[in-house]
């Protein structure tokens, strides 16, 4: 009779587990743990995947996967292709116009310069002052007032609205201010000042265009504030601009003028298409 196995301390050691017979699967070392197949043992048959009722409902079978254009019906496919083609054509035309606008004078711009300007101005004007070595160091405050016609037929002149201060309040404390709040009014007046003389006379086609641009912005701002009252319209507007130099930092040796300049523009008649705040 064989003696029981003991360890170095004399304690009994349990017998070895029985050997596996060929083809049998080992028992897992811990409950719920996977069992690895022994070399040479037959692999367990894979359980058939349960059919997914959502896959067939979404068209995920042998046909095209959902969300693809090919999965749409023919009329929708044609509409999607036409819409994509229109976007590509407009994008190509826009890139070409911008390139011709910023490119040096050439044969194409000499023959079709007017068409390029009509496409670019005023919404897509390219300005490189951002990269200028000496950027604008001035505070420009634009104020506006209006002559309005009320719904009862009475006319009145409003007080001055500080449009730049409204933009400043919208930007203050805003981590992501919009481009409109930061630059629309400032760039519009800079466009106007660069295309007019000190007597407010337009210089070329850009002068007339810049006046229309500024007028439309101001009319929309005043209409947003309901300056004409319910049912009223804005008949005329007037602008005045206060310009002062930005003070240099304390550590700088620069000296800046403390003078403040004022510029009052003439009254502008608002066309009927813009009187209600619209742009036509």
């Amino acid at each position: 009779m064989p003696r029981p196995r003991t360890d170095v301390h004399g304690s009994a050691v349990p017998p070895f587990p029985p050997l596996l017979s060929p083809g049998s699967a080992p028992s897992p070392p811990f409950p719920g743990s996977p069992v690895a197949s022994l070399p040479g043992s037959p692999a367990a048959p894979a359980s058939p995947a349960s059919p997914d009722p959502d896959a067939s409902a979404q068209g995920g079978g042998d046909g095209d996967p959902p969300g693809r254009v090919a999965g749409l019906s023919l009329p929708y496919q044609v509409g999607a292709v036409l819409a994509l083609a229109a976007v590509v054509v407009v994008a190509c035309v826009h890139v070409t116009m911008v390139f011709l606008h910023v490119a040096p004078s050439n044969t194409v711009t000499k023959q079709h310069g007017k068409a390029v300007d009509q496409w670019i101005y005023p919404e897509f004007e390219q300005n490189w002052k951002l990269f200028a070595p000496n950027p604008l160091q001035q505070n420009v405050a634009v104020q506006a007032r209006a002559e309005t016609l009320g719904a009862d037929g009475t006319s009145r002149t409003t007080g001055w609205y500080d449009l730049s201060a409204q933009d400043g309040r919208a930007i203050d404390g805003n981590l992501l201010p919009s481009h409109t709040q930061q630059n629309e009014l400032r760039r519009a007046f800079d466009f106007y000042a660069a295309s007019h003389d000190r007597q407010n006379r337009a210089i070329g086609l850009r002068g007339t265009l810049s006046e229309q641009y500024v007028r439309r912005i101001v009319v929309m701002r005043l209409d947003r504030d309901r300056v004409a009252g319910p049912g009223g319209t804005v008949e005329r507007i007037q602008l005045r601009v206060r310009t002062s130099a930005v003070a240099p930092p304390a550590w700088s040796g620069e000296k800046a003028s403390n003078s403040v300049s004022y510029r009052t523009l003439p009254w502008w008649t608002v066309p009927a298409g813009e009187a209600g705040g619209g742009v036509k």
Side-chain angles (χ1 to χ4, degrees), residues 252-273:
S252 174
E254 285 186 70
K255 301 212 180 271
S257 174
N258 295 327
S259 62
V260 179
S261 64
Y262 296 89
R263 181 173 180 176
T264 303
L265 278 58
W267 283 95
W268 292 337
T269 301
V270 179

Side-chain angles (χ1 to χ4, degrees), residues 21-278:
S21 59
S24 63
S27 59
F30 298 99
S33 61
V35 178
S37 300
L38 292 177
S41 60
S47 60
S50 59
D52 187 357
D54 295 335
S56 58
Q58 295 177 359
D62 296 335
D64 296 307
R68 299 275 182 92
V69 176
L72 301 175
S73 61
L74 182 59
Y76 286 102
Q77 290 183 17
V78 175
V81 171
L82 292 178
L84 181 61
V87 171
V88 172
V89 170
V90 172
C92 292
V93 172
H94 179 69
V95 172
T96 303
M97 290 296 188
V98 173
F99 172 77
L100 293 174
H101 173 66
V102 300
S105 179
N106 53 69
T107 305
V108 177
T109 55
K110 289 178 180 179
Q111 293 182 355
H112 307 285
K114 186 176 180 180
V116 174
D117 290 343
Q118 289 177 347
W119 181 277
I120 294 295
Y121 294 114
E123 286 82 4
F124 306 114
E125 180 185 4
Q126 302 297 307
N127 187 279
W128 303 107
K129 289 186 178 181
L130 174 64
F131 307 100
N134 187 22
L136 184 65
Q137 299 179 355
Q138 293 177 329
N139 285 323
V140 180
V142 180
Q143 300 177 351
R145 63 177 178 175
E147 286 185 358
T148 64
L149 181 64
D152 57 355
T154 58
S155 300
R156 72 181 185 92
T157 302
T158 68
W160 290 97
Y161 288 82
D162 196 335
L163 305 181
S164 297
Q166 293 177 2
D167 287 346
R169 287 192 295 269
I171 294 172
D172 189 21
N174 188 350
L175 296 178
L176 297 172
S178 69
H179 181 74
T180 300
Q181 294 166 344
Q182 297 180 82
N183 297 315
E184 182 184 53
L185 191 60
R186 178 184 62 86
R187 288 288 298 114
F189 182 76
D190 183 62
F191 182 25
Y192 175 88
S195 54
H196 285 73
D197 57 19
R198 293 301 299 180
Q199 285 72 40
N200 297 309
R201 292 176 299 198
I203 304 174
L205 177 63
R206 287 172 57 88
T208 304
L209 182 62
S210 66
E211 181 178 324
Q212 295 174 354
Y213 186 42
V214 174
R215 187 183 67 238
R216 290 178 176 181
I217 292 175
V218 173
V219 170
M220 286 190 294
R221 298 279 186 99
L222 295 178
D223 182 72
R224 188 185 308 162
D225 293 335
R226 299 290 187 266
V227 300
T233 57
V234 177
E235 298 289 309
R236 296 201 305 165
I237 62 170
Q238 186 180 28
L239 273 67
R240 68 181 183 184
V241 183
R242 183 183 70 249
T243 305
S244 59
V246 176
W251 49 262
S252 174
E254 285 186 70
K255 301 212 180 271
S257 174
N258 295 327
S259 62
V260 179
S261 64
Y262 296 89
R263 181 173 180 176
T264 303
L265 278 58
W267 283 95
W268 292 337
T269 301
V270 179
E274 301 174 19

Side-chain angles (χ1 to χ4, degrees), residues 4-13:
R5 299 173 59 247
T6 59
D7 58 10
V8 294
H9 301 288
S11 302
V13 177

